[in-house]
Amino acid sequence: MSLTLDTYRLLGRSGLRVSPLALGTATFGTEWGWGAEQDEARKLFDLYVERGGNFIDTANTYTDGSSERLLGEFTRDNRESLVLATKYTTLRRPGDPNSGGSHRKSLFASVEASLRQLNTDYIDLLYLHVWDFTTPVEEILRGMDDLVRQGKVLYVAISNAPAWQVSRMQTIADLRGWSPLVALQIEYNLIERTGERDLIPMAREMGLGVVPYSPLAGGVLTGKYSRDDLSATNAGSDDGTRKNFNLGLGTLTERNLAIADVLKEVATELGHTPAQVGLAWTLRNPNVTAPIIGARTPAQLESNLGALEVDFTAAQLARLDEAGAIELGAPHGLLASDHIRKVTKGDLKIETRR
């Protein structure tokens, strides 16, 4: 069944309605050596919104602040109709240790800077961007709750953090009556599925909507790479291209290209591009709320939105799931075994509903 950007979904345990694909705006601005100039970024924004999209993702330091500043300009006439999500914790001023991190000083200063750059008096959704392994969780949660009570932030969320810390934070927030986390942003795609071990099940149990970034694995799932790109010459190059970035990250491997091959086969059967089918696989996961899509041109964004129109057969989904499947590891394998089911349930027939 085809979706549209205005087929809205609830975000986690909140009543907030968001589009099934979020617009990522790390491409808004060229300060990082790539991305879209202001006029092109405006076209991307208008295309997404005109199609019914309302969920826009940025961060305080994306393109050195240009992403937020451009959004502040673009949203002057329709701010209330949009769900603006931004993030804090990355270093805003090199050499200043308190301009980054998860602590209260960084949190409040970052939010004030984002409010100015976004030209708004409130942020719909604020993520802790990167876990710093330093700040006490109570300090983070109390700071977030204070901002919600002040009306500067409406909902809080988290990204790039261990599952046990997130579940601990959610429990503390519930016990103390502080604002709960409503979303979890993680890398998740056909190639990167380690979130299935603990992060995604934790999010489901704790009431966090999963918002995946990099749903195309840095472009590997678009089908543009081949085995030739794995050569020693390419691997040793450092020319700043996306290909060598993926090689450096370990995203461009024989395993991942084999998964991309299966994706291309299914895409051919469906009459869609590999990128559309890769996005659709993530989008159709019942545990996912809204993958984040990014683009540098309107044509790229238009193509990515075609993922909303992809319908799979059960057999095609099974092939894709099998191609990218991972070992869940302990204790998941043990708990799923027939032996454990027998000793815990015996011959009882127990229906589990969620």
Side-chain angles (χ1 to χ4, degrees):
M1 179 179 178
S2 294
L3 299 173
T4 59
L5 284 178
D6 56 2
T7 308
Y8 301 115
R9 296 173 168 183
L10 293 179
L11 183 62
R13 63 197 291 182
S14 78
L16 188 64
R17 287 87 162 172
V18 297
S19 293
L21 289 174
L23 178 65
T25 63
T27 57
F28 283 24
T30 58
E31 284 78 4
W32 289 353
W34 50 274
E37 297 280 1
Q38 180 169 344
D39 290 346
E40 200 76 349
R42 181 66 200 235
K43 292 176 184 177
L44 293 169
F45 174 84
D46 288 343
L47 172 59
Y48 177 77
V49 173
E50 287 167 3
R51 291 279 293 271
N54 77 338
F55 195 15
I56 299 177
D57 183 87
T58 186
N60 59 342
T61 55
Y62 280 174
T63 51
D64 299 337
S66 281
S67 177
E68 285 191 338
R69 286 191 290 270
L70 289 174
L71 284 173
E73 177 65 28
F74 300 163
T75 60
R76 286 180 181 273
D77 299 327
N78 58 354
R79 171 66 186 92
E80 288 192 26
S81 300
L82 302 173
V83 176
L84 291 183
T86 192
K87 313 175 189 74
Y88 90 102
T89 61
T90 51
L91 198 67
R92 291 178 293 114
R93 291 185 302 278
D96 180 353
N98 286 318
S99 71
S102 304
H103 54 88
R104 188 179 181 93
K105 182 176 177 65
S106 170
L107 168 61
F108 277 68
S110 179
V111 165
E112 292 296 336
S114 288
L115 290 172
R116 290 192 299 271
Q117 292 184 157
L118 289 167
N119 190 35
T120 185
D121 54 7
Y122 69 97
I123 294 165
D124 294 288
L125 181 66
L126 177 70
Y127 288 95
L128 184 155
H129 199 167
V130 183
W131 191 251
D132 70 2
F133 293 96
T134 303
T135 309
V137 296
E138 292 85 357
E139 180 177 343
I140 298 167
L141 290 166
R142 178 58 190 269
M144 287 180 158
D145 185 66
D146 285 345
L147 287 167
V148 172
R149 292 174 187 271
Q150 292 172 15
K152 294 180 179 180
V153 171
L154 302 188
Y155 298 94
V156 293
I158 195 163
S159 173
N160 299 311
W164 68 272
Q165 286 283 22
V166 179
S167 59
R168 176 188 174 206
M169 291 174 73
Q170 193 74 315
T171 301
I172 292 172
D174 284 344
L175 288 173
R176 298 196 177 182
W178 290 340
S179 300
L181 303 168
V182 301
L184 172 71
Q185 194 170 127
I186 60 171
E187 182 178 359
Y188 184 60
N189 52 60
L190 262 172
I191 286 172
E192 175 48 74
R193 294 175 59 180
T194 53
E196 294 175 4
R197 290 179 176 139
D198 291 300
L199 284 164
I200 292 176
M202 177 276 302
R204 183 176 60 244
E205 291 291 328
M206 292 288 173
L208 285 78
V210 176
V211 182
Y213 66 84
S214 194
L216 293 176
V220 176
L221 292 174
T222 65
K224 65 180 181 181
Y225 297 113
S226 70
R227 268 68 180 178
D228 292 339
D229 295 311
L230 300 177
S231 69
T233 300
N234 285 317
S237 174
D238 187 22
D239 58 8
T241 64
R242 189 61 179 264
K243 177 176 68 178
N244 286 289
F245 182 69
N246 284 325
L247 282 166
L249 287 176
T251 307
L252 196 50
T253 65
E254 175 61 40
R255 170 195 177 265
N256 294 349
L257 289 176
I259 296 171
D261 286 342
V262 177
L263 179 63
K264 283 188 275 189
E265 293 171 3
V266 173
T268 299
E269 295 171 9
L270 291 169
H272 286 276
T273 68
Q276 290 169 341
V277 176
L279 282 170
W281 178 86
T282 306
L283 172 67
R284 304 289 170 156
N285 186 317
N287 296 306
V288 167
T289 301
I292 299 170
I293 56 173
R296 281 184 281 178
T297 68
Q300 289 175 345
L301 178 57
E302 187 72 54
S303 179
N304 285 343
L305 293 178
L308 295 163
E309 301 169 4
V310 175
D311 280 323
F312 297 102
T313 66
Q316 288 167 336
L317 276 175
R319 282 162 59 196
L320 293 172
D321 287 341
E322 182 180 358
I326 61 167
E327 292 291 336
L328 294 181
H332 307 288
L334 174 67
L335 297 177
S337 68
D338 290 337
H339 173 71
I340 292 298
R341 281 198 291 266
K342 183 176 181 180
V343 299
T344 57
K345 296 181 181 178
D347 295 326
L348 296 173
K349 294 182 179 179
I350 303 173
E351 181 181 6
T352 301
R353 292 186 178 181
R354 290 227 175 252

